[in-house]
Amino acid sequence: MSQDFSSRLNDIELKWQERWEKEELHHAEKDEDKEKYYVLDMFPYPSGKMHMGHGRAFSLGDAFARFKSMQGFNVMHPMGWDAFGMPAENAAIDRDTSPEKWTMECIDEMRDEFKRLGYTLDWDREVTTCKPDYYKWDQWIFLKMLEEDLAYQDDAEVNWCPSCETVLADEQVENGLCWRCDNEVENKDMNQWKLGMTEYADELLKDLDKLDEWPQKVRKMQNDWIGKSKGAQIEFDIVDGGELEVFTTRPDTVFGATFMAIAPEHSFAEKVARENEEVAEYIEEAKMRDAEEREEKSKSGVFTGRYAENPFTGEEIPIYVAEFILSDYGTGAIMAVPAHDQRDFEFAQEHGIEVRKVVEPEGDHSFQEQAYEGDGDHVNSEFLDGMEKDEAIEEIIERLELQNKGEADVNYKLRDWLISRQRYWGTPIPIVHCEDCGTVPVPEEELPVELPEDVEFTGQGNPIETSDTFVETECPECGGPAERETDTMDTFINSSWYFLRFCSPNLEEAPFDQDEANYWMNVDQYVGGIEHAVMHLLYARFFNKFLRDQGMIENDEPFERLLTQGMVNHPAYNCPNHGWIYPENVEEGDVCAECGSSLEVETIKMSKSKNNVVRPSELIEEHSADVARTFILRAAHPNKELDWSKDGVKASAEMLERIFRLVEENEELIVSEEPSLDDADLEDRIVSSRIQRTIEKVTEHTENHEFNLSIGETDRLMTELYRYRQSDPDKAIFSHGVRTLVKLIAPFAPHTADELWEQLDGEYFMLEESWPEVEEELLDRKAEATQEYFERISSDVRDIQEMIDDEPATIRVIQAADWKYDVFEKVSEVETQNIGEAMGEVLTDELKPKAETVKKYVMKAIENPGKFNNQKTELEDETEFLSLNKKRWKAEFDLEVVVETEKESENEKASRAEPGRPAIVLE
């Protein structure tokens, strides 16, 4: 793309953005006469600069919003900022500024970048979660949950840095050390606020079945996170006193339990640790690792020196502390059956524990090598011997209940949501602590409880606790001295209901207007990263169900369709002397411009730390917003990773420039006359049909989020129109093709579309125009078949040209003998997959001399029926195709073309001719 065109396109974009804003083109209003369509991109955290991940996600959402608008829907595409979070608090410490000031400056900068891309965002609905008029309603919802006993306090373990005197998020703990001071992090029990998500566990799980337009991968991730398990609770008496309660999905294997394993956090483990130094040291080390690391250490453990009794046999079973057991799943203790659980097996092998078979394998199996986890009849299990799994589980649960040693139970991996954060930049929890009245909610009329400004950011402790004006208050109930809760809420709270606030962002009396919410909800198309597949989406579903139960909304689920985009990758260059260097410091041959060293090159996710980030603003400045959008949408399927490519950017720019030339260099061919196939010749009919098929394909691809395929189809249509222009085109058909092309690119390159639409005398903004629909009267299926045949044979001719050395003068096309068409028809009707049976059905006495050829056709049909049926052509049709395309092949290849039948031909290759695939000889 020339720099002149780039500069021109940038000017065009600014012109149209000004017009769109002046006309409030993207402003959405409730309209009962139109079907609504709510498009929402996961709102961004304002980190200061828009990155390419934002560019990709919002380009995807915007393309779909434009598509739906042109289809006649009343589209709402709102925008906001997920503005609370640790980076702002860290900036306050590092840059001596306030989190609010830093955040609002970032928002101002990012807003300009988003606007420059020309998205259909309704800025009148902008929300910012760190503003009191938003987080007031976080607090209001919290109080409603408190009224329903869904919000409560409980002890919970946190990452505690004794040096910084603060709680750390998991991501702030690096190899057991504090990310800021590098001191060792401890586990500490603190009184924390939680929300009772588990009350909705069954519904959250069951309603995944309603989300059939979510990626299956995401639904599975949520299913696994909720983790419903059916089984039994079993009580094991501890020798010398006490009980150990376990949950197991296989209570029927209790006779095979040869050791018990408990989590390092289990109360019994802590009791043993007070008397056993080895256990205490093991527990301390285990607690330094996160859950993922601990689960990987499946063989790690320490014997407590204590035993439990099997409730059915009285056998004493050794108790181990094992860090792969997590305290927040089940009871934090398991009965281990190494013969029938691989993880238990590996632990048993490491610690020399017996492996006892209690389920008979159905085939050969070595218990010396691995556990058998399949089904089979029970053995070595007393009264369960001979039973299958389901019967044995039912029997063992019945006996447990009779002995008061257990019962049937359902367990979930899902835990209640711990929302307390000992940090400043978040929603204050609206609670007051009074010595006389206890924990007291702040009255609704006193909301919002605003963050104090007189705080100190030292990097130590919770900054809110430094504000006496905030902490010291009066009890709402007794009027006596009290202290405010200094914890703030998890920032996921803000994003758990923001989609509802967008429905009425300026409402002062409630979180949202119920009539507006019931009109716009649920979100028809949600777009965001796969990294939010579990936490954010699960929390949002939980909030939606709670607010529904409060009678505030009608829908069960917040998001109808979900599109999760892949990462954006870019080459990263690692110099042995200078580390990760910027692409502009790379010379040809992948060498460092500074020292000449060969570079290690890796295409990975864009990252500041790897110096391989490309900002949308940089791309816009060099090429334009429409080029950026087109490249982003064209380079890969939305679900796949996108590899950054200068060649891809260049190709997208060239595509848009060609579209401009197609319109501007053919003004004399553009007419307002409606197209018609009356009196149209073959070329006109082929092009008219191609236009309609492009509409059909682009519509289907766009509906399915296959924007890369949509753009590919528009590019092919443009190439066809350029080719058509070289002949003597029907002006009405050519004009129809150009107008269709401009409409089809509107979701991807909207500024280009509006500019060209104006040149084509379009009456409205493209967003107000109708999306093209297939017009049956402009389709000619015979012409399409003729073109398909032309392209097929042309491809064969080119393949032959590449294989021969001589320059041919003639293309000889030899049509198959008549009898072959009859055989093809008979073979296509055969249903058996057996070659012998098929031959018996097809091979008549008359065809027996040609049995070898008939068998060849039968084998083709059985091995690849789709390809066979695509090739099959009627005799009369192929005769007509050859007649119609003879002159076209001559023009295409600038060679003489001879068409003859296999019967007429004297060429030795004539017998190779098949229906739909004539023999071709270049002479």
Side-chain angles (χ1 to χ4, degrees):
M1 180 173 74
S2 68
Q3 195 57 42
D4 286 344
F5 180 70
S6 173
S7 177
R8 180 190 173 197
L9 196 48
N10 269 289
D11 290 342
I12 286 170
E13 289 169 351
L14 293 173
K15 176 185 83 174
W16 284 104
Q17 287 170 17
E18 184 178 344
R19 289 191 188 181
W20 295 341
E21 187 169 354
K22 182 180 178 181
E23 295 297 324
E24 297 184 334
L25 191 63
H26 305 146
H27 180 69
E29 290 288 350
K30 176 182 173 183
D31 185 348
E32 297 286 3
D33 294 330
K34 294 182 72 175
E35 187 175 355
K36 67 90 184 179
Y37 206 93
Y38 186 174
V39 178
L40 182 61
D41 314 276
M42 293 182 185
F43 63 170
Y45 178 78
S47 56
K49 294 280 188 181
M50 182 182 184
H51 57 67
M52 200 54 69
H54 295 135
R56 189 178 194 196
F58 278 80
S59 293
L60 293 168
D62 191 68
F64 207 72
R66 290 180 178 277
F67 171 62
K68 286 299 175 183
S69 290
M70 293 179 70
Q71 285 189 319
F73 289 90
N74 182 25
V75 173
M76 180 170 75
H77 189 199
M79 177 59 175
W81 308 98
D82 193 8
F84 276 137
M86 286 188 297
E89 197 162 333
N90 295 335
I93 298 169
D94 297 338
R95 307 180 191 190
D96 192 25
T97 186
S98 74
E100 180 181 14
K101 183 174 184 292
W102 183 82
T103 299
M104 299 315 294
E105 286 174 354
C106 289
I107 287 174
D108 289 342
E109 186 170 354
M110 290 183 70
R111 185 189 296 111
D112 290 341
E113 291 179 297
F114 272 92
K115 285 188 173 182
R116 183 59 189 84
L117 276 155
Y119 295 136
T120 54
L121 298 170
D122 184 351
W123 290 101
D124 292 336
R125 293 179 181 269
E126 183 179 10
V127 300
T128 304
T129 62
C130 66
K131 290 185 176 181
D133 65 353
Y134 183 90
Y135 69 70
K136 167 184 179 177
W137 302 110
D138 293 336
Q139 296 171 344
W140 185 89
I141 295 170
F142 172 88
L143 293 178
K144 293 300 175 187
M145 290 190 174
L146 190 67
E147 290 175 9
E148 300 294 334
D149 294 327
L150 284 177
Y152 65 96
Q153 280 186 296
D154 190 23
D155 284 344
E157 195 172 75
V158 297
N159 302 310
W160 175 257
C161 175
S163 175
C164 296
E165 296 179 3
T166 190
V167 173
L168 303 177
D170 287 341
E171 60 267 26
Q172 292 178 310
V173 181
E174 300 171 354
N175 299 317
L177 304 178
C178 172
W179 70 292
R180 181 177 291 280
C181 69
D182 284 335
N183 283 310
E184 196 169 283
V185 175
E186 300 175 354
N187 293 106
K188 182 177 179 179
D189 283 334
M190 293 183 67
N191 203 234
Q192 308 274 285
W193 283 98
K194 296 181 178 181
L195 300 181
M197 278 187 69
T198 52
E199 292 292 318
Y200 286 85
D202 266 332
E203 189 180 358
L204 288 167
L205 187 64
K206 175 175 63 69
D207 283 358
L208 287 173
D209 292 338
K210 297 179 180 179
L211 305 177
D212 54 3
E213 294 195 73
W214 282 32
Q216 179 58 33
K217 178 181 179 181
V218 174
R219 289 193 290 170
K220 184 179 185 304
M221 290 169 72
Q222 291 219 355
N223 182 86
D224 292 347
W225 188 267
I226 296 168
K228 183 177 182 179
S229 302
K230 293 182 178 181
Q233 296 274 12
I234 305 178
E235 290 181 7
F236 288 77
D237 290 332
I238 298 173
V239 177
D240 300 326
E243 292 178 342
L244 199 59
E245 188 177 77
V246 305
F247 172 82
T248 175
T249 59
R250 292 296 304 270
D252 55 310
T253 61
V254 67
F255 291 96
T258 56
F259 71 95
M260 312 292 289
I262 59 177
E265 298 84 3
H266 196 283
S267 60
F268 184 69
E270 293 176 349
K271 178 181 178 181
V272 172
R274 289 193 287 270
E275 305 166 356
N276 186 317
E277 188 175 337
E278 182 183 6
V279 172
E281 289 177 0
Y282 178 82
I283 290 173
E284 187 176 347
E285 289 179 12
K287 286 184 174 182
M288 291 174 62
R289 288 183 279 274
D290 62 29
E292 187 174 344
E293 291 177 298
R294 283 173 52 173
E295 287 192 280
E296 289 174 358
K297 301 178 84 62
S298 61
K299 299 178 184 180
S300 170
V302 61
F303 179 45
T304 63
R306 304 290 294 276
Y307 294 84
E309 289 185 0
N310 187 307
F312 292 100
T313 67
E315 177 186 8
E316 292 189 357
I317 306 172
I319 303 172
Y320 286 77
V321 178
E323 61 181 293
F324 73 84
I325 306 298
L326 303 179
S327 61
D328 60 356
Y329 179 70
T331 64
I334 67 165
M335 66 171 204
V337 185
H340 303 291
D341 182 280
Q342 186 60 28
R343 189 173 59 176
D344 296 351
F345 176 84
E346 291 171 3
F347 188 96
Q349 294 289 94
E350 180 73 15
H351 296 272
I353 301 171
E354 178 190 357
V355 176
R356 183 184 304 155
K357 176 181 71 172
V358 291
V359 176
E360 188 69 52
E362 293 182 347
D364 292 337
H365 183 84
S366 171
F367 284 97
Q368 265 74 49
E369 297 179 6
Q370 62 182 0
Y372 174 73
E373 296 182 329
D375 292 338
D377 291 340
H378 283 66
V379 295
N380 303 320
S381 300
E382 297 184 7
F383 53 84
L384 298 181
D385 284 352
M387 292 185 185
E388 293 185 348
K389 174 184 171 182
D390 292 344
E391 183 185 4
I393 289 176
E394 189 176 335
E395 177 67 23
I396 203 76
I397 289 175
E398 186 176 329
R399 294 197 179 219
L400 284 168
E401 291 174 346
L402 285 172
Q403 296 179 32
N404 289 323
K405 285 295 182 181
E407 62 184 357
D409 197 14
V410 174
N411 194 69
Y412 296 91
K413 286 175 65 178
L414 181 69
R415 288 292 174 262
D416 283 346
W417 179 7
L418 192 158
I419 66 165
S420 285
R421 299 293 182 270
Q422 291 72 38
R423 288 186 285 276
Y424 172 78
W425 197 232
T427 299
I429 296 176
I431 291 293
V432 168
H433 299 285
C434 172
E435 284 191 10
D436 294 327
C437 304
T439 299
V440 182
V442 173
E444 288 183 17
E445 60 270 18
E446 294 182 16
L447 300 180
V449 176
E450 296 192 30
L451 286 166
E453 296 182 5
D454 58 332
V455 295
E456 297 178 19
F457 294 98
T458 64
Q460 292 188 327
N462 182 348
I464 294 180
E465 294 176 349
T466 67
S467 170
D468 292 338
T469 61
F470 180 85
V471 175
E472 296 175 3
T473 187
E474 293 182 355
C475 174
E477 289 190 0
C478 70
E483 292 187 352
R484 290 193 187 277
E485 173 65 65
T486 56
D487 285 357
T488 53
M489 298 185 195
D490 181 1
T491 55
F492 273 120
I493 293 285
N494 311 125
S495 58
S496 293
W497 67 280
Y498 78 113
F499 45 88
L500 289 161
R501 185 64 178 172
F502 279 135
C503 298
S504 42
N506 300 312
L507 187 67
E508 297 181 357
E509 296 77 26
F512 51 87
D513 181 277
Q514 294 183 28
D515 288 339
E516 290 283 331
N518 286 327
Y519 172 76
W520 288 111
M521 287 296 291
N522 47 15
V523 175
D524 295 282
Q525 180 63 67
Y526 200 30
V527 181
I530 190 70
E531 65 271 20
H532 299 299
V534 176
M535 306 310 297
H536 159 60
L537 290 172
L538 200 58
Y539 294 149
R541 296 179 62 219
F542 162 55
F543 261 56
N544 190 92
K545 292 178 185 302
F546 171 75
L547 294 170
R548 176 207 60 197
D549 289 348
Q550 293 293 300
M552 297 178 67
I553 50 176
E554 296 173 354
N555 53 295
D556 294 329
E557 290 287 337
F559 312 121
E560 186 73 22
R561 300 180 79 189
L562 176 65
L563 173 61
T564 54
Q565 85 275 3
M567 299 294 185
V568 181
N569 301 325
H570 189 282
Y573 303 92
N574 195 7
C575 173
N577 299 316
H578 298 99
W580 297 101
I581 64 175
Y582 290 101
E584 53 264 34
N585 294 329
V586 178
E587 293 185 342
E588 188 175 348
D590 294 332
V591 298
C592 176
E594 292 279 331
C595 64
S597 298
S598 295
L599 301 172
E600 179 185 341
V601 184
E602 186 180 1
T603 299
I604 55 177
K605 176 187 174 184
M606 288 188 183
S607 166
K608 290 180 184 178
S609 63
K610 301 296 190 295
N611 291 327
N612 69 333
V613 172
V614 176
R615 302 281 183 194
S617 55
E618 298 169 11
L619 186 56
I620 293 168
E621 184 177 345
E622 184 176 354
H623 293 284
S624 77
D626 274 1
V627 169
R629 294 166 59 119
T630 302
F631 166 71
I632 286 169
L633 296 169
R634 186 186 191 188
H637 188 284
N639 292 336
K640 305 296 183 184
E641 292 188 348
L642 187 160
D643 289 339
W644 184 262
S645 161
K646 287 184 178 179
D647 290 341
V649 174
K650 181 181 177 183
S652 297
E654 290 173 348
M655 174 184 169
L656 296 185
E657 191 168 8
R658 288 180 68 216
I659 294 174
F660 267 92
R661 290 204 310 270
L662 182 68
V663 175
E664 295 174 344
E665 294 177 3
N666 293 290
E667 291 181 5
E668 75 283 359
L669 292 177
I670 305 297
V671 296
S672 58
E673 179 185 345
E674 291 294 322
S676 170
L677 296 187
D678 295 342
D679 302 322
D681 64 20
L682 178 61
E683 287 298 321
D684 299 330
R685 291 172 179 274
I686 288 172
V687 172
S688 178
S689 299
R690 175 66 65 87
I691 294 166
Q692 301 310 306
R693 293 304 180 198
T694 302
I695 293 170
E696 183 178 63
K697 290 177 182 178
V698 171
T699 302
E700 180 181 353
H701 290 320
T702 305
E703 190 68 56
N704 293 330
H705 309 129
E706 298 165 331
F707 304 116
N708 55 322
L709 301 181
S710 294
I711 295 173
E713 290 294 339
T714 60
D715 201 9
R716 282 186 281 276
L717 175 59
M718 176 170 58
T719 299
E720 179 71 10
L721 291 173
Y722 265 104
R723 185 198 64 77
Y724 185 45
R725 168 66 183 86
Q726 304 309 311
S727 61
D728 182 21
D730 180 295
K731 289 185 177 181
I733 291 175
F734 180 80
S735 301
H736 178 57
V738 170
R739 289 193 174 91
T740 298
L741 176 66
V742 172
K743 282 191 172 186
L744 293 178
I745 66 163
F748 322 118
H751 310 87
T752 297
D754 260 331
E755 178 70 13
L756 294 178
W757 194 246
E758 185 178 56
Q759 293 183 31
L760 292 167
D761 298 323
E763 186 175 350
Y764 305 104
F765 290 111
M766 187 60 78
L767 202 65
E768 298 172 324
E769 292 287 348
S770 297
W771 184 257
E773 294 184 354
V774 174
E775 299 176 62
E776 287 292 330
E777 64 272 18
L778 295 179
L779 272 173
D780 186 321
R781 287 171 175 76
K782 178 66 75 173
E784 288 183 284
T786 303
Q787 176 65 11
E788 183 183 344
Y789 189 86
F790 172 81
E791 291 173 353
R792 186 196 308 165
I793 305 308
S794 296
S795 177
D796 289 346
V797 172
R798 292 188 188 95
D799 289 343
I800 296 170
Q801 284 179 320
E802 290 180 4
M803 291 187 289
I804 63 176
D805 297 326
D806 299 332
E807 289 292 331
T810 302
I811 302 172
R812 186 175 300 277
V813 184
I814 306 169
Q815 184 179 6
D818 294 2
W819 67 268
K820 292 182 177 180
Y821 292 90
D822 294 333
V823 173
F824 255 61
E825 185 63 35
K826 289 179 179 178
V827 171
S828 69
E829 294 172 354
V830 172
E831 296 181 0
T832 181
Q833 294 294 301
N834 182 284
I835 293 175
E837 292 176 3
M839 286 293 289
E841 292 183 34
V842 175
L843 195 64
T844 62
D845 291 341
E846 186 180 340
L847 290 174
K848 283 182 179 178
K850 304 175 176 69
E852 187 176 341
T853 301
V854 174
K855 184 177 181 181
K856 176 184 172 184
Y857 295 164
V858 167
M859 292 177 65
K860 286 179 69 171
I862 290 175
E863 290 172 2
N864 195 332
K867 185 176 180 181
F868 179 85
N869 287 321
N870 285 338
Q871 178 182 328
K872 186 170 77 74
T873 310
E874 299 292 335
L875 173 61
E876 296 79 6
D877 290 339
E878 186 157 18
T879 302
E880 185 177 4
F881 294 157
L882 289 165
S883 174
L884 291 170
N885 285 314
K886 182 177 178 180
K887 290 182 180 179
R888 301 178 76 215
W889 283 316
K890 182 176 181 179
E892 178 77 9
F893 295 101
D894 194 24
L895 297 172
E896 290 298 319
V897 178
V898 174
V899 174
E900 60 190 23
T901 65
E902 182 180 341
K903 184 177 180 179
E904 297 168 340
S905 179
E906 297 179 359
N907 193 285
E908 60 183 10
K909 296 180 180 179
S911 63
R912 299 180 182 177
E914 296 178 358
R917 187 70 72 179
I920 300 170
V921 181
L922 270 60
E923 303 171 332

